[in-house]
């Protein structure tokens, strides 16, 4: 899929629409999700035009790949989630219901999140999954 320069996260990166920023460096921007699914729900996006994890890891320069992954860890630290734990998740494509076509890693935390493969993660309606 070609990168859409007008997707909402591209606009956030260009400062055309606001976000509740958590962390920023040369490689990544992290901000609170507008529709949180957990007490803490933050998105981390790379500073570059990549649709998905596959696109990013195939085409981004090594310093950006490394810097972005480090930014995910730093963001979780800055949110104070490292000690109690948290979950990261990246949706890609239609089956995963990716809504915004700019790579983003969700960070969920702030409460016990339950086992991973229940509820929403398998497309069901049960509680506990994200
Ligand atoms: P996904 O389904 O993985 O593509 O997730 C997209 C996420 O982006 C959803 O959790 C939305 O709530 C979130 N989102 C959409 N627009 C915004 C925005 N302007 N600021 C922050 N989060 C947003």
């Amino acid at each position: 899929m070609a990168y859409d320069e007008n997707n909402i996260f591209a606009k956030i990166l260009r400062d055309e629409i606001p976000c509740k920023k958590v962390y920023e460096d040369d490689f990544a921007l992290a901000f609170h999700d507008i529709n949180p699914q957990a007490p803490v729900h933050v998105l981390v996006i790379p500073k570059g035009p990549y649709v998905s994890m596959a696109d990013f890891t195939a085409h981004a320069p090594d310093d950006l790949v490394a810097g972005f992954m480090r930014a995910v860890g730093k963001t979780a630290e800055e949110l104070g989630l490292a000690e109690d734990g948290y979950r990261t998740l990246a949706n890609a494509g239609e089956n995963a219901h990716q809504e915004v076509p700019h790579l983003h890693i969700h960070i969920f935390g702030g409460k016990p999140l339950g086992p991973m493969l229940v509820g929403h993660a398998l497309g069901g309606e049960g509680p506990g999954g994200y």
Side-chain angles (χ1 to χ4, degrees), residues 8-9 12 17-20 31-37 41 43 89-92 96-102 104 106 108:
I8 198 130
F9 294 169
I12 286 176
I17 60 170
C19 71
K20 273 179 70 185
F31 51 91
H32 288 279
D33 196 291
I34 206 167
N35 182 23
Q37 304 295 312
H41 183 177
L43 305 172
L89 179 151
N91 292 315
H97 207 277
Q98 181 180 5
E99 287 173 15
V100 181
H102 181 117
H104 47 286
H106 297 255
F108 301 102

Side-chain angles (χ1 to χ4, degrees), residues 87 89 113-130:
R87 178 169 294 151
L89 179 151
L113 297 167
M116 183 175 66
L117 293 177
V118 296
H120 297 78
L122 289 180
E125 297 298 320
Y130 288 102

Side-chain angles (χ1 to χ4, degrees), residues 15-62:
D15 260 338
E16 291 170 11
I17 60 170
C19 71
K20 273 179 70 185
K21 192 192 295 185
V22 173
Y23 175 82
E24 182 170 21
D25 61 23
D26 289 345
F27 306 107
L29 174 67
F31 51 91
H32 288 279
D33 196 291
I34 206 167
N35 182 23
Q37 304 295 312
V40 180
H41 183 177
V42 163
L43 305 172
V44 191
I45 65 174
K47 289 189 172 178
Y50 304 100
V51 175
S52 65
M53 188 65 82
D55 183 20
F56 182 64
T57 52
H59 301 119
D62 289 351

